[in-house]
Amino acid sequence: MPAIVLIGAQWGDEGKGKATDILAGQVQWVVRYQGGNNAGHTVVLPDGQDFALHLIPSGILTPGMRNVIGNGVVVDPGVLLDELSGLEARGVDTSNLMISADAHLIMPYHVAIDKVTERFLGKAKIGTTGRGIGPAYQDKVARVGVRVADVLDEKILHQKVEAALDLKNQILVKVYNRRALDVDEVVDTVLAHGRRFAERIADTRLLLNKALEGGETVLLEGSQGTLLDVDHGTYPFVTSSNPTSGGAAVGSGIGPNKITRVIGILKAYTTRVGSGPFPTELLDAMGEHLRKAGGEVGVTTGRPRRCGWFDAVIGRYAVRVNGITDFFLTKLDVLSGLESVPICVGYEVDGKRVDDMPMTQTDVHHAQPVYEELPGWFEDLSACRTFDELPANARAYVQRIEELTGAPVSAIGVGPGRDQTITRDV
Ligand code: GDP
Ligand code: IMO
Ligand code: MG
């Protein structure tokens, strides 16, 4: 059996948590392969309980599921333990969570540097989640990172933290006028945390490859989204990892030829948190309407999400860079009650019509959406369970998205609940 990748097709918060939870019924393993606790994945169980997962795969809520935090993830040890105890306090069995020995740790200095750099950037800030994600990945690439396995070796851990703080403390104190961090304090805290998750540390690439060889199915749960990818996103307003499907092989240690399906999670409109270009953004009452109707508030930071119409240029781009085989279109229910629903079919950039993602950052900033108006619908969709039960105009909206993006929609979300989903044969 194969590996399935599930990715965000826009700027994150497309509904990956719900989609993972649904697919968990068909797989044996759920793996996070990049990002860290910058993510906020919401899952609403059939009994109405809702959970917000940040670092732990959404598969943890499915009894018996094997869950893995892969090598490509950055792990904040304190956050990991808090999230585990929060889940356990609510009766969730977490015994099946393993953590890659090679995943990098988010250290207290990463969080401090993330915050001061953002402040330093002022108006030009990225609008990060302030969780230390960027600085942790910087250290990984600079080859001065601390990895999960280092918590098992006090001497090595001490050496690495000392070397890192030698430079970081100078930056914190001399550039940013902040307090220096104490090496022993940092080491002691990380060691104390590490003792509490030591038995979960594993060579997860070996586990996953054995599982695949044994015929089991692995679901790779992306966080963030295509346009937040450090290579393919709206750089520099991106996160510091590769959420796109290629990142799933690297961040879990399986061969890309094991991946047979790439599911793009696509919201029926568009949202973004943080700074950066957003061609279809609505800064008027309609944007406010989408925010209210869709409950568009960040799960991790509580920031209101920027809202806008569906952008087919982005949808097409996501299909291309991820090799999306099919889409899970979420939140179609939110669009009920509109006279007409605009879809962005292309851009105008400095007077020229373009159908694909512009090549330069400046052109993306200049992109003006070209809209096509589709007739809206007024029915409440939340009880629809088959495609045919949807109003004709809602069906036409879905079909137009398929035409414009070039990938079929295999599932449609009509509410946050697990059962509020329409599946289709495509
Ligand atoms: P993720 O980061 O991609 O997992 O998405 P978030 O959890 O940050 O945001 C998605 C929000 O939409 C959550 O509150 C979900 O419960 C909710 N949601 C997911 N699918 C649907 C849907 O089809 N309809 C509605 N109304 N809400 C949905
Ligand atoms: P999920 O998995 C939406 C955004 C931040 C910021 C940029 C960089 O829930 O979809 P970072 O802290 O990663 O360095 O911030 O990325 N961002 C997200 N936006 N959903 C997320 O995760 C995000 N994770 C990071 O707002 O613009
Ligand atoms: Mg989210």
Side-chain angles (χ1 to χ4, degrees):
M1 285 295 279
I4 301 169
V5 183
L6 182 159
I7 55 101
Q10 294 148 322
W11 276 286
D13 303 325
E14 299 90 349
K16 297 176 293 293
K18 173 179 161 170
T20 302
D21 177 58
I22 289 174
L23 282 158
Q26 305 163 30
V27 306
Q28 288 77 45
W29 297 75
V30 178
V31 182
R32 279 281 307 272
Y33 58 87
Q34 47 68 235
N37 59 308
N38 47 349
H41 294 183
T42 315
V43 177
V44 182
L45 295 185
D47 63 6
Q49 278 197 84
D50 65 282
F51 289 85
L53 283 321
H54 297 284
L55 178 59
I56 295 174
S58 302
I60 200 79
L61 300 170
T62 301
M65 181 68 52
R66 314 282 303 270
N67 292 278
V68 167
I69 294 180
N71 56 278
V73 174
V74 283
V75 178
D76 184 320
V79 169
L80 171 71
L81 294 172
D82 284 350
E83 198 164 324
L84 280 168
S85 48
L87 288 167
E88 283 156 10
R90 293 177 70 182
V92 177
D93 173 16
T94 67
S95 58
N96 276 333
L97 173 75
M98 304 306 275
I99 304 163
S100 167
D102 289 341
H104 279 246
L105 292 181
I106 300 180
M107 305 294 280
Y109 44 87
H110 294 136
V111 179
I113 290 171
D114 193 359
K115 289 181 176 152
V116 288
T117 336
E118 281 283 276
R119 223 170 294 148
F120 187 78
L121 283 170
K123 266 187 164 166
K125 70 175 182 195
I126 311 285
T128 72
T129 58
R131 302 299 194 262
I133 305 293
Y137 278 115
Q138 281 173 39
D139 277 5
K140 172 178 174 174
V141 175
R143 298 167 294 191
V144 292
V146 180
R147 301 203 287 182
V148 165
D150 295 330
V151 306
L152 303 173
D153 188 328
E154 181 171 355
K155 201 167 144 220
I156 294 274
L157 179 70
H158 201 280
Q159 271 173 18
K160 288 191 174 181
V161 172
E162 192 168 21
L165 279 180
D166 243 4
L167 178 65
K168 312 262 189 246
N169 272 340
Q170 299 214 42
I171 296 172
L172 281 169
V173 173
K174 293 179 187 164
V175 179
Y176 295 113
N177 202 21
R178 312 309 289 185
R179 194 176 63 85
L181 297 175
D182 180 68
V183 177
D184 290 338
E185 223 173 88
V186 171
V187 170
D188 289 349
T189 308
V190 172
L191 277 177
H193 285 151
R195 264 179 231 119
R196 293 172 55 199
F197 61 80
E199 77 289 354
R200 298 180 186 275
I201 302 174
D203 179 351
T204 54
R205 67 172 78 79
L206 184 63
L207 293 178
L208 293 172
N209 279 290
K210 279 197 169 157
L212 286 166
E213 280 161 24
E216 294 184 316
T217 305
V218 172
L219 176 64
L220 297 140
E221 177 187 8
S223 59
Q224 290 79 56
T226 302
L227 276 300
L228 287 171
D229 186 283
V230 68
D231 283 271
H232 302 292
T234 45
Y235 193 90
F237 301 102
V238 294
T239 192
S240 298
S241 66
N242 289 115
T244 49
S245 60
V250 178
S252 64
I254 66 163
N257 57 347
K258 299 288 193 304
I259 298 166
T260 55
R261 186 177 175 197
V262 179
I263 307 171
I265 315 304
L266 188 68
K267 208 179 273 191
Y269 49 98
T270 315
T271 63
R272 171 164 208 173
V273 258
S275 325
F278 178 178
T280 62
E281 181 170 19
L282 294 164
L283 297 164
D284 55 8
M286 191 48 82
E288 198 48 47
H289 167 76
L290 288 178
R291 189 154 35 246
K292 276 221 181 80
E296 297 296 352
V297 175
V299 179
T300 299
T301 56
R303 291 179 289 181
R305 294 175 181 151
R306 301 157 64 191
C307 296
W309 297 123
F310 184 81
D311 185 335
V313 179
I314 282 168
R316 271 197 293 279
Y317 182 72
V319 169
R320 199 171 295 140
V321 301
N322 293 291
I324 288 172
T325 51
D326 52 314
F327 279 125
F328 185 155
L329 185 71
T330 61
K331 298 193 134 178
L332 187 63
D333 53 302
V334 174
L335 294 180
S336 288
L338 302 171
E339 202 69 54
S340 69
V341 196
I343 289 188
C344 166
V345 293
Y347 300 143
E348 221 176 86
V349 181
D350 300 330
K352 243 180 87 187
R353 166 73 188 253
V354 295
D355 293 321
D356 294 308
M357 209 51 183
M359 189 177 76
T360 67
Q361 192 191 339
T362 310
D363 282 354
V364 178
H365 277 278
H366 289 181
Q368 294 297 320
V370 176
Y371 286 118
E372 180 179 294
E373 293 281 336
L374 269 72
W377 59 90
F378 291 88
E379 295 86 340
D380 176 0
L381 307 187
S382 60
C384 295
R385 294 293 175 270
T386 66
F387 190 62
D388 291 340
E389 280 167 45
L390 289 173
N393 288 347
R395 290 201 302 269
Y397 185 77
V398 175
Q399 283 159 345
R400 190 68 183 126
I401 287 177
E402 291 181 313
E403 280 167 15
L404 289 165
T405 57
V409 170
S410 60
I412 299 164
V414 291
R418 200 184 267 176
D419 65 323
Q420 290 177 303
T421 308
I422 294 170
T423 51
R424 289 166 86 206
D425 289 327
V426 290

